[in-house]
Amino acid sequence: MRYVMRRSGDTDGRVPVTSTRYSVNAMKLRARARSGWRAWFYRQQVAGWAVEYEEGLTLVTVRGAGHQVPLFAPDRSLAMLYHFLRGQPLPAAAPR
């Protein structure tokens, strides 16, 4: 599985998620059929939102983080990087 992940804090004032979404829409990328925007979880809480595209891009937001995601949310940032490096999807539901 080869993909590129673009991350953004959902409170990023420099590169807002809406700007990134406009850019992705301009590239005419196709969201995976069942992907759409979905929550991803860390420690049984919503850690952010993600959408996967057929062309191999995964757009991820980190809840409550600004432009420097690792500074604002180091634990969620590390979890996101962990899954990315292993080629695994982000957790789609809180573990029980």
Side-chain angles (χ1 to χ4, degrees):
M1 170 186 223
R2 183 191 81 68
Y3 65 94
V4 176
M5 181 180 288
R6 162 64 169 101
R7 63 98 186 119
S8 184
D10 62 3
T11 62
D12 190 340
R14 291 190 174 61
V15 185
V17 175
T18 51
S19 291
T20 303
R21 292 188 69 189
Y22 284 130
S23 298
V24 170
N25 288 341
M27 292 187 288
K28 302 199 185 314
L29 301 180
R30 298 176 307 269
R32 288 198 174 147
R34 287 180 274 162
S35 177
W37 277 98
R38 66 169 180 83
W40 68 277
F41 290 81
Y42 176 73
R43 292 192 176 172
Q44 300 181 354
Q45 293 185 2
V46 173
W49 301 91
V51 63
E52 298 172 3
Y53 294 91
E54 291 179 9
E55 293 79 6
L57 175 77
T58 301
L59 174 61
V60 179
T61 68
V62 178
R63 186 177 55 83
H67 188 66
Q68 297 174 333
V69 173
L71 181 66
F72 286 93
D75 53 349
R76 287 171 276 157
S77 180
L78 184 59
M80 179 185 62
L81 183 61
Y82 175 88
H83 285 86
F84 173 73
L85 291 175
R86 285 180 168 57
Q88 300 170 343
L90 292 164
R96 295 182 186 234

